[in-house]
Amino acid sequence: MTDKLPSCNAYLDNAATTPTLPCAIDAMNDAMRNAWGNPSSAHAIGREAKAVLESARARLASCLGVDADEIYFMSGATEANNLAVRGACMARKKESRRIVTSSLEHASVTRSVRGMRREGWSVEHIEDIAGEFDMSQFRRALAKPTTLITVMRVQNELGWTMPTADIVAARNELSPHTLVHCDATQAFGKIPLSPRELGVDLLTITGHKIGGPRGIGALYVKRGTNMFTNAFGGGQEQGLRSGTEAVFLAAGFAAAAQEACENLETNLDNARELKARLLSGLRDAAPEAIVNSREDGSPYIVSVSLPGISNQALVDFLGTRGIYVSKASACTNNHASVPKGTWRKKHPLSLQAAGIPLELGKSTIRVSFAPSTTPAQVDMLLEGIRDFKWQTS
């Protein structure tokens, strides 16, 4: 174990995880000191823990504009996505046994879907080249009986927003009995988000993308939606997710969520300004840069390709200056391209599926903001890119 964290002058990898907010730390400390009991216990200590847990549930529900009994705590977005896919499908396996999803989902969805396909389910992936979700293909897909639609709200590498309202409207028109799941991991607490306004049946959120703790997430399940469990045990979370709840994590999650939702518009404006500053500065620091993110996407995530530059080398160089971004390149073990209009059974990387060539993907970085990100930190990144280019030219 190192004695201390490495120096950090500009943390710009907030789509991966965020620093824990003081309010979340305070809430967790208080819960660990004063609500350490098992919330399933019938005595006073258990009831105190239960009260804290249910308060956290109610606060999350309020942020989403739903009822508290529609919120189920999970270990994170991965578990929530797994349960949304498998739990919804297995509860309706006597029906169509068919799933429709996008080509750009997070691995926790794509691999869950792949697992269902191995069990005999039919799957159709909807193309989303350059951020244009193919609604014509989607509407054709719904001509066949379908059990589940699962499409994320904000794409985690590119920041593209999916047309959730249009997807639900098409479902209502063409396949009204089909469930819709939305992975809102990169949307919750960052852009306006209401499951009821969107019309989805299932929605995934998590704590550590908004300044909450890791190891806690939640799944919204619209009341009346039949679900099977993936976790068998004591019947916690209304029987949907057994296991003694982590009360202190739930308290921290709720505290971070409340702060994010109360300041959503202010934070959103700040993210827009940071994105504009980054894109403007790139015109001088790297005129050849290709911006993969869209103007109508989430301003919190900016994907940029720098032709001729190794993203790993750039990430390493920036790290020596205490500047942290992430790379978004193709896996070295997967060299197959994904031509437009085609699909392979093994899910490709998101950048390729989005229409970004494999070689360009190796030059792509993802910059992602948080409410605490400052213009000075964006300027540090731009200076770092400029200096890296000068040293390697």
Side-chain angles (χ1 to χ4, degrees):
M1 178 179 289
T2 57
D3 293 333
K4 61 180 181 178
L5 289 172
S7 63
C8 183
N9 297 315
Y11 180 74
L12 299 169
D13 193 19
N14 292 280
T17 198
T18 52
T20 312
L21 291 171
C23 67
I25 295 172
D26 290 344
M28 288 189 288
N29 283 337
D30 184 68
M32 284 189 286
R33 290 191 181 99
N34 303 307
W36 47 264
N38 187 323
S40 296
S41 296
H43 47 62
I45 292 176
R47 289 196 296 272
E48 179 61 30
K50 182 72 169 178
V52 172
L53 180 69
E54 295 310 317
S55 174
R57 195 188 312 277
R59 291 164 75 187
L60 287 173
S62 178
C63 289
L64 289 171
V66 300
D67 293 330
D69 65 355
E70 296 176 302
I71 299 295
Y72 298 81
F73 284 113
M74 305 282 148
S75 64
T78 290
E79 183 185 16
N81 282 339
N82 275 250
L83 179 58
V85 172
R86 188 168 185 83
C89 288
M90 294 308 291
R92 309 176 83 195
K93 62 183 178 181
K94 294 182 180 179
E95 299 180 18
S96 63
R97 298 177 69 87
R98 185 166 182 273
I99 302 168
V100 174
T101 186
S102 88
S103 62
L104 300 182
E105 298 302 299
H106 186 271
S108 57
V109 168
T110 62
R111 293 182 180 180
S112 296
V113 168
R114 193 185 306 162
M116 300 306 296
R117 177 161 43 196
R118 285 195 294 268
E119 296 180 27
W121 287 64
S122 172
V123 179
E124 181 164 353
H125 296 88
I126 307 302
E127 298 282 0
D128 194 352
I129 304 296
E132 295 294 335
F133 185 83
D134 193 335
M135 284 300 299
S136 296
Q137 181 193 358
F138 178 69
R139 290 178 67 87
R140 290 194 300 272
L142 294 187
K144 300 177 183 177
T146 302
T147 302
L148 178 71
I149 299 161
T150 176
V151 178
M152 67 201 331
R153 185 72 187 99
V154 173
Q155 212 287 325
N156 56 294
E157 288 193 54
L158 296 154
W160 297 345
T161 53
M162 300 296 196
T164 311
D166 294 339
I167 288 168
V168 172
R171 183 279 305 266
N172 294 345
E173 175 191 352
L174 301 170
S175 187
H177 298 296
T178 299
L179 296 179
V180 177
H181 165 243
C182 176
D183 175 4
T185 300
Q186 297 289 354
F188 179 61
K190 298 179 180 180
I191 65 174
L193 184 72
S194 168
R196 288 183 178 167
E197 290 183 7
L198 290 173
V200 300
D201 305 287
L202 304 157
L203 184 134
T204 295
I205 60 175
T206 198
H208 73 105
K209 308 295 187 183
I210 56 169
R214 278 143 291 281
I216 186 77
L219 180 65
Y220 159 78
V221 181
K222 183 179 178 181
R223 188 180 291 114
T225 303
N226 192 22
M227 297 283 288
F228 274 20
T229 184
N230 288 348
F232 301 96
Q236 292 88 347
E237 296 301 297
Q238 302 181 61
L240 188 57
R241 198 271 186 179
S242 291
T244 302
E245 296 96 340
V247 175
F248 75 102
L249 293 179
F253 183 11
Q258 186 168 343
E259 180 158 317
C261 292
E262 287 176 351
N263 297 286
L264 189 144
E265 291 299 334
T266 298
N267 294 339
L268 189 53
D269 287 341
N270 180 59
R272 291 187 182 113
E273 292 174 5
L274 294 170
K275 179 179 179 180
R277 189 181 191 92
L278 174 61
L279 298 185
S280 176
L282 279 172
R283 287 194 284 270
D284 173 62
E288 75 284 6
I290 300 170
V291 180
N292 302 311
S293 297
R294 291 168 56 105
E295 189 173 329
D296 59 358
S298 168
Y300 283 92
I301 298 174
V302 183
S303 172
V304 178
S305 298
L306 301 164
I309 289 178
S310 161
N311 55 10
Q312 184 63 66
L314 176 59
V315 167
D316 290 343
F317 174 82
L318 293 172
T320 65
R321 296 187 169 196
I323 302 167
Y324 300 99
V325 300
S326 68
K327 65 175 186 174
S329 67
C331 174
T332 56
N333 294 324
N334 184 358
H335 297 286
S337 63
V338 185
K340 182 178 179 180
T342 67
W343 186 257
R344 295 185 302 121
K345 286 188 175 182
K346 183 176 180 182
H347 188 268
L349 289 163
S350 294
L351 295 184
Q352 286 180 264
I356 297 170
L358 176 65
E359 287 304 313
L360 194 59
K362 296 177 182 178
S363 300
T364 299
I365 62 171
R366 180 185 67 180
V367 182
S368 48
F369 308 124
S372 59
T373 308
T374 65
Q377 291 173 328
V378 172
D379 293 343
M380 289 180 199
L381 171 62
L382 292 166
E383 182 180 355
I385 292 173
R386 188 183 296 108
D387 289 351
F388 176 80
K389 290 181 58 186
W390 179 80
Q391 291 189 24
T392 56
S393 60

